[in-house]
Amino acid sequence: MNVLLLALSTVSNGKLNCFSYQYEDEPSFNGYYQLEPIPKFLNEKLEKEKQEHLDYIITLNTKEVNSSVLDTVICNSENGIEYEFFNITAKMFFEKMLCNGQKVFQQMPKIISIPIDVDDIIPGIILAMNQLRELKDKSNDFNLYIDMHGGPRNTQMTFQTILSLLKHESIYPSSIYTIIMNKSKPNTIKEDTKYFDYIDFVSGMNEFLNFGKPISIKSLNNLNDLSLRDFTEKANQIADALTLCDMSAFQKSLEDMSNWLNNREIKQDSLLELFIKNIRMDYGVLLKENHDVIDEIQWCLTKGYLQQALTLIESKMPEELFKKGIFSYDENLMVEIKKDPDKSKIKIKDAIACAKAMQHREWESDINYIFIKWIKVLDIFDKDDNGKHISFELNKTHQEYLDFYLPFWPDFKNKIFLTVSRGKSVALKVMLKNEIYINQDLQDMCMRFLILHYTLKQERNIANHAIGERKTNVYDIKEAIAGYIDLARILYRA
């Protein structure tokens, strides 16, 4: 099924002159009304190339097109009056002119008129969309063509809206045409599909930058742009990693994007170059080698990727904290196995491996495993009268997380006991950075940070594993993550 969508224009006056139209090197032909050339040309093109024809023409008609009546319309050629009509509207005139001239229809398409209001285009767009869906449902081979040059002043916005809606239903126009008026030679019928391909790409880029959605480049024009394809591949790796909440893949895809940006072939006439500055501004420090996990968490928070931010907090922050020396332990230290009659010793890293194996947590990194066990040993959470741990409530502003008060403070020298075999264990001491040990304010900040880390980890687990009922809202989680970032940066500066 071949369908042409266009917007009808009013007839400017009662006396119309003959104009010549041409597509590429095809023979030219004559026409009077500005909306008659493309339907005639397209129908002949379909008959010649595919032995098909236009089945439907959907016209967008303003009130004036439908109801404004001209007493007389005269079509003048070099030989005098070619056609003359009486008491005719633009809608009627369009239908009449399809039957007249050098390129008349052997089989007239069915014309479906859609009313559209220039001051409120949405109802007309809805009607047009419903009509297009209905026609598509009737055919397994649906081909949509668009003539975009006619109609009221906001026609292009109307078509852009329709095309954006169609894109989400995987309907892409086969060709888009317009007419370029020339003074000294035949007016040009021009295929303008590439223009709308670019609009489609711009829309996709906005979705990528604003919402992290993958970019689709289904048009041949864009697919043939190797630079654009390379960029799209890199961008979609980032989008896919965010969608899957795979933050290791996210970090790797940022490296790939940074390398691509720094080593790409620069084409000044490429549409993509318009977005390079936006991409660099949007990802900012994340495209630099020396960025840290807190930078990634801040970016996710700014973008509203809260689950991704929580994943980074749980899975990546412990490693970074130990890497920066905020906390540390000696994995190669030999420690005595308690309750071992032989007084045997074992390396800390081997003791951790034994303890993880006994709890079936071999998948967890050593640092993540130790970090959470240490927070629990510090006993920094409030308890009820029965000694049961009370969950910390995320109900503060991000600034309040820097100075909230609890009536007890942890002993940061508390040791972790790791079970290495039945009835036998070793003691592991996690060290604080010396500047934190000697500064009570920094110790207080560290305590708040650890409470917030553990609580945000639990928030992530509630969503990921569907355990329990989440009691916090988006605003509270955002404020808590912002407070976490501030506390982390204070510890980084210690």
Side-chain angles (χ1 to χ4, degrees):
M1 180 185 294
N2 299 300
V3 178
L4 173 64
L5 174 67
L6 54 81
L8 290 184
S9 299
T10 55
V11 178
S12 55
N13 60 67
K15 293 183 179 181
L16 300 177
N17 294 322
C18 181
F19 289 94
S20 181
Y21 299 90
Q22 186 175 29
Y23 175 74
E24 295 183 344
D25 296 326
E26 296 286 321
S28 63
F29 64 98
N30 295 332
Y32 294 88
Y33 177 50
Q34 70 180 86
L35 272 303
E36 70 176 281
I38 289 176
K40 291 180 176 180
F41 142 76
L42 179 58
N43 192 70
E44 184 171 281
K45 187 172 188 290
L46 289 170
E47 289 176 345
K48 182 186 301 183
E49 295 178 358
K50 302 170 69 175
Q51 291 75 54
E52 297 179 3
H53 57 270
L54 272 177
D55 298 288
Y56 290 89
I57 299 177
I58 299 177
T59 65
L60 305 179
N61 299 3
T62 62
K63 183 178 179 181
E64 289 74 19
V65 164
N66 282 338
S67 59
S68 292
V69 178
L70 286 170
D71 294 336
T72 306
V73 175
I74 297 172
C75 300
N76 291 314
S77 69
E78 293 179 353
N79 300 321
I81 296 176
E82 187 86 18
Y83 308 106
E84 188 172 10
F85 304 98
F86 302 97
N87 299 320
I88 194 168
T89 63
K91 174 179 180 294
M92 296 162 58
F93 184 61
F94 170 70
E95 295 172 4
K96 293 282 188 183
M97 294 310 295
L98 292 184
C99 303
N100 297 323
Q102 296 162 267
K103 293 195 174 186
V104 297
F105 286 77
Q106 295 181 8
Q107 180 176 334
M108 281 295 293
K110 182 176 181 181
I111 298 175
I112 301 173
S113 298
I114 303 292
I116 193 161
D117 186 340
V118 293
D119 297 319
D120 184 10
I121 63 174
I122 299 303
I125 288 174
I126 293 172
L127 290 172
M129 282 297 301
N130 288 339
Q131 187 63 68
L132 287 169
R133 290 187 185 115
E134 184 179 323
L135 293 176
K136 183 178 183 297
D137 289 342
K138 291 180 179 178
S139 174
N140 293 325
D141 184 20
F142 180 82
N143 300 299
L144 175 63
Y145 302 89
I146 293 178
D147 174 359
M148 57 174 277
H149 83 283
R153 62 185 181 278
N154 54 1
T155 297
Q156 201 166 78
M157 184 187 357
T158 304
F159 285 136
Q160 286 181 25
T161 305
I162 290 173
L163 286 169
S164 295
L165 293 169
L166 290 172
K167 174 188 170 185
H168 290 291
E169 299 181 29
S170 297
I171 302 175
Y172 294 84
S174 299
S175 295
I176 298 171
Y177 297 100
T178 189
I179 290 179
I180 299 174
M181 303 300 287
N182 304 308
K183 290 184 178 179
S184 59
K185 55 184 177 180
N187 299 311
T188 303
I189 297 175
K190 180 187 176 187
E191 185 170 352
D192 221 8
T193 312
K194 189 174 182 179
Y195 171 74
F196 273 90
D197 290 343
Y198 288 152
I199 291 176
D200 183 47
F201 176 70
V202 170
S203 174
M205 279 297 301
N206 286 332
E207 288 186 345
F208 170 70
L209 292 172
N210 293 327
F211 310 111
K213 291 185 178 181
I215 303 169
S216 172
I217 54 167
K218 292 191 175 183
S219 71
L220 289 177
N221 291 313
N222 289 338
L223 284 170
N224 290 332
D225 187 330
L226 296 181
S227 180
L228 190 56
R229 283 166 56 185
D230 287 344
F231 165 77
T232 302
E233 180 183 343
K234 301 294 183 294
N236 287 351
Q237 287 173 359
I238 294 175
D240 291 344
L242 285 169
T243 299
L244 295 172
C245 216
D246 185 343
M247 304 319 288
S248 293
F250 176 63
Q251 291 168 324
K252 174 63 169 60
S253 60
L254 286 173
E255 292 176 14
D256 291 344
M257 175 63 83
S258 179
N259 289 334
W260 183 87
L261 288 171
N262 293 331
N263 299 303
R264 77 190 189 281
E265 180 185 355
I266 298 176
K267 297 179 180 179
Q268 297 298 340
D269 60 345
S270 170
L271 176 68
L272 182 57
E273 289 302 315
L274 294 174
F275 287 95
I276 296 301
K277 183 177 180 180
N278 300 76
I279 294 162
R280 291 193 182 280
M281 288 178 59
D282 188 73
Y283 285 91
V285 71
L286 300 194
L287 296 174
K288 299 179 180 179
E289 289 185 10
N290 62 347
H291 81 268
D292 53 38
V293 177
I294 278 295
D295 294 324
E296 295 176 12
I297 295 170
Q298 178 68 70
W299 185 86
C300 287
L301 175 63
T302 301
K303 286 289 189 178
Y305 303 142
L306 300 189
Q307 195 62 22
Q308 289 81 353
L310 293 173
T311 299
L312 286 168
I313 288 170
E314 180 197 44
S315 63
K316 298 297 181 182
M317 274 302 290
E319 298 275 354
E320 177 151 297
L321 293 164
F322 279 77
K323 180 180 177 181
K324 287 182 176 292
I326 307 299
F327 312 107
S328 62
Y329 67 89
D330 185 354
E331 65 174 11
N332 293 311
L333 180 67
M334 299 294 295
V335 292
E336 183 179 308
I337 301 176
K338 297 183 182 299
K339 296 184 181 181
D340 183 353
D342 298 327
K343 304 295 182 182
S344 301
K345 289 189 175 183
I346 187 173
K347 279 187 178 181
I348 289 293
K349 64 179 179 181
D350 295 329
I352 294 172
C354 291
K356 289 198 301 182
M358 292 191 69
Q359 295 182 341
H360 305 291
R361 300 184 71 84
E362 293 92 340
W363 51 268
E364 191 169 14
S365 75
D366 288 0
I367 287 177
N368 283 23
Y369 178 76
I370 289 299
F371 191 54
I372 294 302
K373 287 186 74 70
W374 184 56
I375 293 176
K376 291 179 179 178
V377 165
L378 294 178
D379 200 25
I380 53 181
F381 289 92
D382 203 358
K383 294 181 175 62
D384 61 20
D385 294 338
N386 297 319
K388 185 178 178 181
H389 167 218
I390 299 174
S391 296
F392 182 71
E393 292 187 11
L394 300 178
N395 56 3
K396 300 173 176 53
T397 66
H398 83 269
Q399 184 61 41
E400 289 172 341
Y401 286 110
L402 274 62
D403 54 20
F404 70 86
Y405 173 78
L406 286 180
F408 52 88
W409 303 100
D411 180 358
F412 287 109
K413 296 181 180 180
N414 282 354
K415 296 180 180 180
I416 305 168
F417 287 90
L418 301 171
T419 302
V420 295
S421 64
R422 187 174 180 83
K424 298 177 183 179
S425 63
V426 301
L428 166 63
K429 183 178 180 181
V430 175
M431 304 293 294
L432 280 182
K433 191 175 184 179
N434 190 57
E435 286 80 359
I436 299 175
Y437 266 133
I438 63 177
N439 187 312
Q440 186 60 53
D441 287 340
L442 286 176
Q443 284 195 37
D444 294 348
M445 292 297 183
C446 184
M447 180 276 301
R448 296 175 181 117
F449 175 81
L450 294 172
I451 289 174
L452 205 46
H453 179 92
Y454 186 83
T455 305
L456 288 171
K457 168 186 164 61
Q458 295 304 102
E459 283 293 328
R460 191 256 181 183
N461 289 341
I462 288 171
N464 257 33
H465 306 298
I467 53 174
E469 181 181 349
R470 172 167 274 168
K471 297 179 181 179
T472 49
N473 56 41
V474 169
Y475 174 81
D476 287 336
I477 292 175
K478 283 183 176 179
E479 291 296 295
I481 293 173
Y484 180 91
I485 291 169
D486 289 345
L487 288 166
R489 296 215 182 278
I490 290 171
L491 296 180
Y492 284 7
R493 293 193 296 268

